[in-house]
Amino acid sequence: MTGKLDIDHLRQWIGRSTEATDIVTAQLVKGLRATLFQDVGEPRTGDAAPFTVHWCLAQPVFPMSMLGPDGHPTRGGFLPPVPLPRRMWAGGEIEFLQPLCVGDESTRTSRIADVQVKSGSTGTLCFVSVEHSISSPRGTAIRERQDIVYREMTGSAPAGAKAAPPPPQAQHRETHVSDPVLLFRYSALTFNGHRIHYDRDYVTEVEGYPGLIFHGPLQAALIIEMAAKLRGGKAPKKFTYRGVQPLFEGTKFSINANETEAGLELWTANAEGQPTMKGTAVW
């Protein structure tokens, strides 16, 4: 799907809002803990959930007849109908005010905050910023801004790309494998039908990538959990992050952190040590 990009039309979506409610169940918490390489345990009512459990809650549900060729819902509902075929999370910012716990009824209120068009090395880019407020029975738990990027169907790397710089050194590091089962599990937990994460034929033959793509939110979730672990289990007051380049299936990847005067500098990296997502956390 590629058509003329009418920014004035797309900006009419700014200010649109929606609300959805869900319950943090013990089964969801077990599944998310397992996917984030944590001890699964037997979560009970009142136990704190992983910090990014809200990305698994109250996800939009559409019939199969309303899905587009990429597995996402057809465009033009809450999100503006951007006529560029590739869609990914570009980054965002999260404020953690209090944890969500097993048994909580959580409500997410979402609002389109901005729509911008830019030109990049891969062509036209359209950024849609969405603000979310997630509440529990105890009040507001999380405030968040998500930046979604839409782009043209070009190669996964721009022609004439510069040689990668030496990988950064990390004071703290964890390593895992980007297994296709891991990607499938996170897609299932978040009810994410985007085919780039599980359909190898689609992602290689249609979108032109070399393999399945690791979810941006999953990278961010792993970074946040590592940051909290380095601060005695306490979530940062604010976490700001952005995607740098895709991370693909079948390779080792690392979660990294360096101490700074303000907090932590964090990133995920591919098998070559090159960052794929960068973030900062402050307490």
Side-chain angles (χ1 to χ4, degrees):
M1 178 196 70
T2 303
K4 180 176 173 57
L5 199 157
D6 183 345
I7 184 60
D8 291 333
H9 175 63
L10 297 177
R11 287 181 63 82
Q12 292 178 18
W13 265 255
I14 294 175
R16 294 196 183 194
S17 63
T18 186
E19 187 174 281
T21 299
D22 204 347
I23 295 175
V24 182
T25 67
Q27 184 68 15
L28 172 61
V29 169
K30 289 173 69 173
L32 187 54
R33 285 178 178 174
T35 305
L36 297 179
F37 305 103
Q38 298 176 350
D39 178 31
V40 175
E42 291 295 336
R44 301 183 183 279
T45 299
D47 289 351
F51 297 112
T52 57
V53 70
H54 64 288
W55 287 337
C56 304
L57 296 171
Q59 293 301 308
V61 178
F62 293 85
M64 294 296 293
S65 61
M66 292 183 65
L67 299 183
D70 62 355
H72 277 305
T74 51
R75 312 207 182 165
F78 170 63
L79 291 172
V82 179
L84 298 173
R86 281 183 172 173
R87 168 182 162 179
M88 289 186 175
W89 279 30
E93 184 174 274
I94 311 174
E95 294 179 73
F96 294 99
L97 306 177
Q98 56 178 300
L100 292 171
C101 300
V102 176
D104 282 350
E105 182 176 86
S106 172
T107 298
R108 183 185 65 245
T109 303
S110 306
R111 174 184 173 273
I112 305 295
D114 199 10
V115 181
Q116 296 284 344
V117 174
K118 300 179 181 180
S119 294
S121 58
T122 57
T124 301
L125 305 171
C126 183
F127 291 87
V128 177
S129 293
V130 186
E131 294 176 346
H132 303 283
S133 177
I134 296 92
S135 67
S136 76
R138 297 172 298 283
T140 303
I142 296 168
R143 285 193 291 263
E144 177 181 12
R145 187 197 77 247
Q146 291 177 4
D147 299 324
I148 303 167
V149 62
Y150 298 81
R151 48 178 287 212
E152 297 173 276
M153 195 72 77
T154 57
S156 58
K162 296 180 181 179
Q169 298 298 308
Q171 295 171 328
H172 310 278
R173 173 168 291 164
E174 296 179 3
T175 59
H176 301 284
V177 175
S178 176
D179 187 278
V181 177
L182 175 67
L183 306 187
F184 168 79
R185 281 185 160 194
Y186 196 72
S187 287
L189 285 166
T190 56
F191 202 68
N192 183 354
H194 200 182
R195 292 169 67 174
I196 64 172
H197 303 304
Y198 61 86
D199 188 336
R200 190 173 292 108
D201 288 344
Y202 171 83
V203 77
T204 57
E205 296 174 11
V206 177
E207 298 217 8
Y209 289 105
L212 300 177
I213 297 176
F214 202 102
H215 309 69
L218 179 52
Q219 292 183 67
L222 290 165
I223 289 174
I224 290 166
E225 293 293 340
M226 181 181 191
K229 188 187 304 183
L230 294 171
R231 291 294 184 270
K234 185 177 180 181
K237 289 182 179 178
K238 183 178 291 185
F239 174 66
T240 305
Y241 65 102
R242 63 183 178 89
V244 178
Q245 63 175 311
L247 175 61
F248 297 103
E249 64 167 314
T251 63
K252 281 189 176 181
F253 72 97
S254 59
I255 313 158
N256 307 271
N258 281 334
E259 305 283 344
T260 68
E261 290 185 5
L264 287 172
E265 177 187 49
L266 303 127
W267 68 97
T268 46
N270 58 24
E272 290 73 40
Q274 295 300 322
T276 57
M277 175 175 286
K278 294 181 178 181
T280 57
V282 295
W283 280 261

